[in-house]
Amino acid sequence: MFANVGWGEMLLLVVVGLVILGPERLPGAIRWTSSTLRQARDYISGATSQLRDDLGPDFEDLRQPLSELQKLRGMTPRAALTKHLLDGDDSWISEAFSSPDKPHSAGGPQPQPQPEPAKPVPEPLPPGTPAPFDSDAT
């Protein structure tokens, strides 16, 4: 819980506690906080050991997906998807976008797309001419 709290933050907490509680109540507050945290830690470890005893070997089966989720938290979204959906092999994705002229290895040589014929550009209407109206289109 306090794994990321350094000495500077602890000193700041003590100074703030000293200002808010005063020097006569600060030791009692620190004692109460430490005993409460110790009691909560004991409850959590007791619940974990009881769960381990109740489930037996199935407890490790529950811990495995949780440890995988913990590993995924540090990954980028692309790496996580590649690992689970593609079994870590994203070579076909990187090959497909590396060179458009190179044939893809997954399906053999791909046919080259034919260029579309140029469409005729309509001539602009002379000024004062009404726009064409299509009654079927409206």
Side-chain angles (χ1 to χ4, degrees), residues 88-111:
D89 181 28
D90 67 342
S91 60
W92 67 274
I93 294 175
S94 57
E95 287 174 6
F97 295 110
S98 63
S99 172
D101 297 334
K102 190 166 79 171
H104 304 295
S105 61
Q110 299 290 329

